């Protein structure tokens, strides 16, 4: 089956919904999501959105803080482009109906909190559930738009590529998607395809990310021959709740912004020994310090304490975290919170310019899937949602200005003649677990050449197994995600092995110092045959 649109937006997090809402309403847009509309990291965002909203603050200062966190690898032009748009993007969200936490005494009328690496209070938020406020509002707006067709439970599999007759250059004609309700593969055609599929936190055993974060867009673009960069820079958030029954619950950096302290089990504060900015040092430093203390002392976790603040303050600023911790018997008004670092944000991704354009004509990438150069070797807290907004809107403008709509010729049909129903789902489940565990053990916060080589070898064997499975059986969401996880894990290992220095989020015991002139790690695959099946 084939369905044609003007634009396909794959992924309905903040980046995808922003792009879909910003496109010309005369365009027929498909907003494709592998789960339900609001599912994705965006709805779990807690701390807020970084933007310059106070006259004591400045774009220069926000740019500088971003470049410092990026440890010499952020692209200054991209950083300036995105940071300069902060105020307009926040105004756009307010115009859509998003309600931020008010502060009548503040110049812009909203409370601004602080997070690690920021030299000013510049994080606008909706209490401690900013993502929920933003995605609920935008989901409502998307459902009101007559030109947007929402395709939930459709998993993008691979791009459908064409070749320009003169130049031989590849261009994107659309994507194959698995409709998980019917089990059928649908070919979606369009003159522009926007990948907004989020990050790849699920490649690690412990992560703050939702189940959908399997790096699909990165793997899909890479298989089609687009360049991917800086995958070694996986950000580990320092403070994920440590509890046997708490799956992936983040304890926002905003707690540290409001004074919370990291403690050892005996109540000793340890961050001042690691960095003069203590708990407000950038995330790579705080996560590494926790990892160091845990390994040195044989601890399962450390503690984060905000109980010295008044109960009123905690209830007003952190209601969702308070409630969730209470469910696990932890009252953060009275006791410290057990925390551990966990994989949180994919700083690398599909290389794009400042319109979201990738190496492949008619293919764009935005949000956590993309690499614009903003985050360098380490993302500054709350810069991600800002990037989703700025790039979502810039991409929509570029798509609007590109070639006019044409009738799609027939797309190649998905061929299932050689495959049968899978007989051994246990293989898929086992390999999922194995990829995530080996990445956690061998490609975590501290790396070595030996561990990377071991990971690479094991991933190669898993890839062979999965390729054979993929070639023999009908596709399922689990299998497609596993295939992507292995590709993305391999990209992380290859990028990490190529970086012979320690910088930002990439720390290796074999090369502990920094080289003088750093450059992004860029990878591209030589064979491009994603639509062969
Ligand atoms: P997502 O919001 O993850 O959306 C991805 C979408 O793509 C989903 O709809 C998913 O279903 C869909 N999708 C994926 N694969 C496919 C496929 N194959 N086919 C079809 N659809 C697909 N950043 C901040 O700036 N501030 C914060 O306070 C903050 N807090 C965070 C808290 C948590 C717990 C987490 C996990 C992240 C946080 N971040 C924060 C990071 C930020 O939330 C994410 O980087 C950002 O939301 C990513 O948005 P996105 O639109 O790129 O992707
Ligand atoms: C947090 O609230 O700590 C998450 C902020 C972010 O990831 O930018």
């Amino acid at each position: 089956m084939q369905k044609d649109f003007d634009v396909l937006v794959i992924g309905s997090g903040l980046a995808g919904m922003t792009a879909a809402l910003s496109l010309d309403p005369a365009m027929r847009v498909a907003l494709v999501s592998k789960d339900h509309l609001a599912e994705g990291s965006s709805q779990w965002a807690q701390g807020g959105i970084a933007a310059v909203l106070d006259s004591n603050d400045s774009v220069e200062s926000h740019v500088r803080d971003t470049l410092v966190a990026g440890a010499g690898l952020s692209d200054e032009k991209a950083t300036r482009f995105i940071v300069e748009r902060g105020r307009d993007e926040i105004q756009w969200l307010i115009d859509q109906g998003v309600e931020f936490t008010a502060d009548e005494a503040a110049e812009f009328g909203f409370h601004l909190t602080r997070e690690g690496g920021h030299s000013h209070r510049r994080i606008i938020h909706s209490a401690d559930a900013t993502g929920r406020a933003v995605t609920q509002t935008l989901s409502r707006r998307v459902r009101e738009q007559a030109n947007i067709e929402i395709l939930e439970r459709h998993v993008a599999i691979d791009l459908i590529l064409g070749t320009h007759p003169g130049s031989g250059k590849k261009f994107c004609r659309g994507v194959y998607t698995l409709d998980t309700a019917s089990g059928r593969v649908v070919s979606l055609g369009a003159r522009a395809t926007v990948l907004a599929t989020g990050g790849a936190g699920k490649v690690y055993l412990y992560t703050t990310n939702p189940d959908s974060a399997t790096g699909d867009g990165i793997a899909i673009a890479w298989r089609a021959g687009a360049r991917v960069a800086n995958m070694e820079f996986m950000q580990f958030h320092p403070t994920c709740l440590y509890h046997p029954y708490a799956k992936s619950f983040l304890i926002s950096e905003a707690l540290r912004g409001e004074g919370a302290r990291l403690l050892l089990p005996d109540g000793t504060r340890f961050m001042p020994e690691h960095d003069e900015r203590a708990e407000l040092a950038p995330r790579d430093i705080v996560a590494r310090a926790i990892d160091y203390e845990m390994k040195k002392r044989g601890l399962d976790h450390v503690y984060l304490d905000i109980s010295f603040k008044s109960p009123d303050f905690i209830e007003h600023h952190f209601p969702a975290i308070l409630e969730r911790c209470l469910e696990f018997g932890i009252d953060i008004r009275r006791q410290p919170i057990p925390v551990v670092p966990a994989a949180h944000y994919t700083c690398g991704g599909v290389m794009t310019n400042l319109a979201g354009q990738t190496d492949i004509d008619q293919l764009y990438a935005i949000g956590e899937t993309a690499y614009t150069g903003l985050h360098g070797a380490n993302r500054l807290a709350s810069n991600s949602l800002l990037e989703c907004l700025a790039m979502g809107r810039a991409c929509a403008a570029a798509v609007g200005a590109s070639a006019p709509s044409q009738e799609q010729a027939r797309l190649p049909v998905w061929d299932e003649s050689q495959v049968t129903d899978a007989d051994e789902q246990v293989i898929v489940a086992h390999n999922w677990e194995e990829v995530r565990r080996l990445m956690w053990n061998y490609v975590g916060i501290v790396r070595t050449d030996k561990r990377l080589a071991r990971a690479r070898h094991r991933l190669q064997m898993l890839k062979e197994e999965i390729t054979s499975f993929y070639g023999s059986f009908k596709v399922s969401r689990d299998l497609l995600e596993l295939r992507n996880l292995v590709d993305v894990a391999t990209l992380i290992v290859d990028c990490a092995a190529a970086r012979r220095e320690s910088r930002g989020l990439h720390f290796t015991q074999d090369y502990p110092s920094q080289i003088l002139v750093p450059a992004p790690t860029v990878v591209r695959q030589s064979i491009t045959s994603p639509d062969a099946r």
Side-chain angles (χ1 to χ4, degrees), residues 46-47 115 237 250-254 283 344 379 381-383:
Q46 293 185 353
E115 289 179 329
H237 195 292
L250 182 75
I251 306 295
S252 175
E253 188 152 330
R283 275 184 196 163
H344 181 63
R379 174 179 69 101
S382 287
N383 264 357

Side-chain angles (χ1 to χ4, degrees), residues 234-287:
M234 175 60 74
Q235 183 172 73
F236 288 79
H237 195 292
T239 58
C240 187
L241 178 63
Y242 176 83
H243 188 282
Y245 301 120
K247 191 185 165 209
S248 318
F249 189 68
L250 182 75
I251 306 295
S252 175
E253 188 152 330
L255 271 79
R256 280 178 282 133
E258 298 298 338
R261 293 174 167 193
L262 283 161
L263 305 175
L264 296 172
D266 66 1
T268 315
R269 194 174 168 212
F270 58 88
M271 269 317 297
E273 280 172 33
H274 291 268
D275 193 281
E276 60 187 12
R277 292 160 290 184
E279 281 82 358
L280 286 181
R283 275 184 196 163
D284 54 332
I285 294 169
V286 183

Side-chain angles (χ1 to χ4, degrees), residues 95 99 155 178 297 346 369 420 449 475 478:
D95 295 344
E99 291 183 12
V155 188
L178 170 69
R297 297 166 199 280
T346 313
T369 299
T420 59
D449 277 354
V475 292
D478 275 351

Side-chain angles (χ1 to χ4, degrees), residues 111-399:
H111 182 259
L112 300 178
T113 192
R114 199 172 165 186
E115 289 179 329
H118 286 277
S119 51
H120 284 87
R121 283 188 171 266
R122 61 166 76 99
I123 321 295
I124 188 166
H125 59 103
S126 299
D128 58 349
T130 308
R132 192 166 63 206
V134 168
T135 49
Q136 277 179 356
T137 306
L138 295 192
S139 301
R140 251 193 328 270
R141 293 276 300 106
V142 157
R143 290 192 193 281
E144 287 162 8
Q145 290 298 119
N147 67 315
I148 301 178
E149 183 171 339
I150 299 167
L151 297 174
E152 291 172 304
R153 295 178 183 83
H154 279 62
V155 188
I157 303 173
D158 266 321
L159 301 178
I160 304 169
L161 296 177
T163 308
H164 288 300
S167 64
K169 210 173 166 241
K170 298 263 180 219
F171 67 98
C172 179
R173 302 177 63 195
V175 292
Y176 292 115
T177 58
L178 170 69
D179 172 356
T180 54
S182 68
R184 287 172 61 187
V185 173
V186 183
S187 307
L188 301 178
R191 69 177 169 90
T193 298
V194 182
L195 294 171
T197 52
K202 285 296 279 191
V203 91
Y204 285 94
L205 191 58
Y206 301 109
T207 175
T208 63
N209 288 193
D211 290 345
S212 57
T214 47
D216 297 5
I218 299 171
I220 287 171
W222 178 75
R223 284 195 294 267
R227 280 173 306 161
V228 167
N230 277 9
M231 292 300 292
E232 69 273 37
F233 299 116
M234 175 60 74
Q235 183 172 73
F236 288 79
H237 195 292
T239 58
C240 187
L241 178 63
Y242 176 83
H243 188 282
Y245 301 120
K247 191 185 165 209
S248 318
F249 189 68
L250 182 75
I251 306 295
S252 175
E253 188 152 330
L255 271 79
R256 280 178 282 133
E258 298 298 338
R261 293 174 167 193
L262 283 161
L263 305 175
L264 296 172
D266 66 1
T268 315
R269 194 174 168 212
F270 58 88
M271 269 317 297
E273 280 172 33
H274 291 268
D275 193 281
E276 60 187 12
R277 292 160 290 184
E279 281 82 358
L280 286 181
R283 275 184 196 163
D284 54 332
I285 294 169
V286 183
R288 215 154 37 239
I290 297 175
D291 186 67
Y292 173 84
E293 295 292 343
M294 282 171 47
K295 289 203 170 109
K296 182 169 135 194
R297 297 166 199 280
L299 303 172
D300 288 335
H301 61 273
V302 294
Y303 289 96
L304 183 71
D305 186 26
I306 192 149
S307 63
F308 55 87
K309 287 275 190 187
S310 73
D312 268 4
F313 178 90
I314 294 173
E315 285 156 20
H316 178 65
H317 284 272
F318 304 115
I321 293 173
L322 171 64
E323 190 188 319
R324 188 81 178 127
C325 288
L326 278 174
E327 286 169 23
F328 295 107
I330 303 158
D331 185 345
I332 71 171
R333 292 165 298 194
R334 293 184 182 81
Q335 61 191 121
I337 313 163
V339 291
V340 281
H344 181 63
Y345 186 84
T346 313
C347 291
V350 184
M351 289 185 86
T352 73
N353 67 11
L354 294 178
Q357 172 73 59
T358 70
D359 291 330
I360 298 170
D361 273 1
Q362 298 171 209
L363 179 70
Y364 299 78
I366 52 174
E368 196 169 334
T369 299
Y371 163 83
T372 59
L374 172 70
H375 307 305
N378 179 30
R379 174 179 69 101
L380 184 64
S382 287
N383 264 357
S384 169
L385 297 179
L386 172 64
E387 187 187 42
C388 288
L389 290 162
M391 293 308 299
R393 297 217 298 150
C395 176
V399 169

Side-chain angles (χ1 to χ4, degrees), residues 56-127:
N56 290 318
D57 194 1
S58 66
V59 165
E60 275 322 305
S61 166
H62 190 177
V63 167
R64 201 166 43 245
D65 291 345
T66 304
L67 298 181
V68 169
L73 269 186
S74 294
D75 179 293
E76 185 165 348
K77 191 166 156 233
T79 304
R80 204 166 283 285
F81 176 86
I82 290 166
V83 165
E84 274 172 354
R85 280 159 177 74
R87 197 183 182 107
D88 283 356
E89 303 310 339
I90 299 300
Q91 190 58 55
W92 182 79
L93 282 180
I94 294 170
D95 295 344
Q96 303 300 313
V98 176
E99 291 183 12
F100 292 108
T101 298
D103 178 355
E104 281 170 15
E107 204 178 301
F108 193 57
F110 297 100
H111 182 259
L112 300 178
T113 192
R114 199 172 165 186
E115 289 179 329
H118 286 277
S119 51
H120 284 87
R121 283 188 171 266
R122 61 166 76 99
I123 321 295
I124 188 166
H125 59 103
S126 299

